[in-house]
Structure formats: structure tokens, C-alpha cells
Amino acid sequence: MTFNTNEIVASLQQQFGCDAVRSASPLPGNREAVFIQPAHQQQVFNFLFYEKQWRFDRLHDIMLLFQPGFEQTDYCLQYEISSKKFGNKLRLLLPYQ
């Protein structure tokens, strides 16, 4: 089973508001990602890891991306998480100054 990134974004926006979370522009290779404002990072991670609907339980990778002009910043931290429940991974992006 796989998750739909748009469903996750809608769930997060309902919980934290549209300013805290939104779909990111597609990454290279047309990969989907979720853009999170840093002030909401802890809350979003807790929600994704403890909410029964999502139950993410694995952190696969953390990297610093350099993409000039991406989402009004040149650098983003990318977290890649997954779950035993889902067959795909979720990419979370946080702007980094």
C-alpha cells in the first residue's frame, strides 16, 4: 500500500494551518515533497509519527539540498521518512538560511 502525498498535506494543513505546511514544487526527477515551516517542525514530526492514520516510523536520510531560488531559499534540509505500513517514502523539506 502507498500513501498519497496530497492526502498527507491536507491532513497536516487541517491540523496546523496552510501557512505551516504545503506541497513543494516537484524536486528533480518529479519527486513529490512536503514543505514545512521550521517553527512547526517538531509538531509535524510528532503528528506523522504518532497519528494512527500515518504511523511513520523510519527516518532514512537527512541531507542539505542546494537549489537556488527553490521555495524562496537556496538551501533546504530534506528528511526522508517511511513506514512499515506504506511502500513509499515521504520527503519533508525545511528552509535553511
Side-chain angles (χ1 to χ4, degrees):
M1 175 164 78
T2 60
F3 60 79
N4 181 314
T5 304
N6 292 328
E7 287 180 37
I8 292 175
V9 169
S11 179
L12 290 169
Q13 286 178 337
Q14 183 179 16
Q15 185 76 20
F16 304 107
C18 293
D19 293 335
V21 178
R22 60 182 158 51
S23 292
S25 305
L27 298 172
N30 235 6
R31 298 181 305 160
E32 295 179 332
V34 177
F35 195 80
I36 301 168
Q37 291 301 324
H40 299 279
Q41 176 183 358
Q42 184 73 38
Q43 298 160 316
V44 168
F45 272 83
N46 283 341
F47 181 79
L48 290 172
F49 278 81
Y50 296 111
E51 176 62 33
K52 289 181 183 182
Q53 179 183 2
W54 302 118
R55 292 198 180 206
F56 286 92
D57 56 9
R58 296 181 183 150
L59 174 62
H60 289 276
D61 198 10
I62 301 172
M63 74 173 101
L64 183 63
L65 298 176
F66 174 68
Q67 290 187 278
F70 181 74
E71 300 286 342
Q72 303 170 354
T73 184
D74 289 342
Y75 294 93
C76 285
L77 280 176
Q78 175 183 290
Y79 294 86
E80 196 171 78
I81 62 174
S82 72
S83 170
K84 294 174 191 169
K85 182 178 175 179
F86 300 110
N88 52 343
K89 296 177 184 174
L90 179 63
R91 289 168 189 87
L92 303 172
L93 301 175
L94 284 83
Y96 182 80
Q97 299 296 329

